[in-house]
Amino acid sequence: MDKVVASAGEAVADIPDGVTIAVGGFGLVGIPEILITALLEQGATDLETVSNNCGTDGFGLGLLLEKGRIRRTISSYVGSNKEFARQYLSGELEVELTPQGTLAERLRAGGAGIPAFFTPAGVGTAVEEGGLPLRYDGHGHIAAASEPKETREFDGKTYVLERGITADYALVHAWKGDRHGNLVYRASARNFNPPAAASGRITIAQVEHLVEPGELDPNEIHTPGIHVQRVVHVGPVEVGIENRTVRA
């Protein structure tokens, strides 16, 4: 029952090339940055990541991106990352753009064992009709595009079918966690971490504060330990500022 491992390096040591990894966080908040850095040092490549955004330049998943370790990503927001844009437009990176709420639900559904669901998000757009650029050829032409999706009408309204996501691994950041893997997220760091944690077949959590079993109020636990296989105590983590604005 004790799921604590000694270091981030040990926690990610067995992640092989070519796997799908769901990663929690939103912008710079709730990013499992220490686990990502450990994965960078570990060397796994040809990865498919599932995350709201693929990091920023020089931070989070942006570190793996800069080293060419990510082959494909499923994301909803890809701004503020020049290297991401360069790789996407040059044909080095395949990108599946997904509406933000749909992405959260796809992860949640995968974690709940739900293979697919119908949603109104994207109906009447390229999300439903297909044609979204997945990959460019480096010369401004689309090399691969999304396929049309199945639709169905419920109570006179059209919905589009979306597949749940089950990842091989998941990396998440929590404020508190116990040795059984129960996790508590703090404020806005709760974001994509709970659905990402649920979607992973092997979920690894970095926690700022490690407590003993029984110390967490059951009513405050956001991710039950049944979803978590490994816990790494990393201590307090400072949250960066993505866009600093100061008065002239």
Side-chain angles (χ1 to χ4, degrees):
M1 292 294 289
D2 191 344
K3 301 175 182 179
V4 176
V5 295
S7 68
E10 181 181 336
V12 303
D14 65 344
I15 297 180
D17 296 345
V19 294
T20 298
I21 305 178
V23 182
F26 188 110
L28 301 184
V29 180
I31 304 295
E33 56 186 277
I34 295 172
L35 292 174
I36 291 171
T37 300
L39 184 59
L40 178 70
E41 296 171 351
Q42 185 256 43
T45 190
D46 195 36
L47 302 171
E48 177 176 8
T49 59
V50 184
S51 180
N52 177 64
N53 54 288
C54 201
T56 57
D57 292 306
F59 183 79
L61 288 175
L63 296 172
L64 291 172
L65 196 65
E66 289 172 4
K67 297 298 183 180
R69 307 275 274 279
I70 299 176
R71 170 186 57 83
R72 187 177 194 274
T73 186
I74 302 175
S75 300
S76 70
Y77 174 73
V78 295
S80 304
N81 193 325
K82 295 178 181 178
E83 178 61 15
F84 184 102
R86 187 198 68 76
Q87 289 190 24
Y88 180 36
L89 296 175
S90 68
E92 300 172 31
L93 179 69
E94 185 170 307
V95 179
E96 182 180 338
L97 288 172
T98 303
Q100 196 166 76
T102 300
L103 179 59
E105 182 62 12
R106 289 181 69 188
L107 288 166
R108 191 204 69 81
I114 299 170
F117 58 92
F118 283 98
T119 174
V123 171
T125 73
V127 171
E128 171 206 333
E129 298 164 359
L132 283 172
L134 296 174
R135 188 176 68 253
Y136 286 94
D137 64 0
H139 301 287
H141 305 295
I142 298 174
S146 63
E147 297 290 331
K149 294 178 179 177
E150 178 184 344
T151 60
R152 187 170 172 182
E153 190 172 292
F154 295 91
D155 301 320
K157 187 173 182 178
T158 302
Y159 295 79
V160 63
L161 184 70
E162 293 282 359
R163 294 293 304 271
I165 296 174
T166 303
D168 299 306
Y169 289 82
L171 307 180
V172 299
H173 171 88
W175 178 49
K176 284 185 179 181
D178 65 19
R179 293 182 178 276
H180 291 173
N182 297 301
L183 305 178
V184 176
Y185 309 104
R186 186 178 185 183
S188 59
R190 189 170 174 180
N191 54 57
F192 274 79
N193 278 297
S199 76
R201 293 185 178 92
I202 297 177
T203 293
I204 307 170
Q206 65 170 56
V207 303
E208 295 190 46
H209 304 281
L210 178 64
V211 301
E212 295 302 319
E215 289 188 44
L216 296 178
D217 183 341
N219 294 306
E220 296 178 352
I221 292 172
H222 299 130
T223 293
I226 192 171
H227 290 302
V228 180
Q229 282 67 48
R230 300 170 193 169
V231 176
V232 182
H233 181 211
V234 299
V237 174
E238 183 177 350
V239 178
I241 299 174
E242 189 167 355
N243 296 297
R244 185 183 296 273
T245 302
V246 295
R247 181 175 297 173

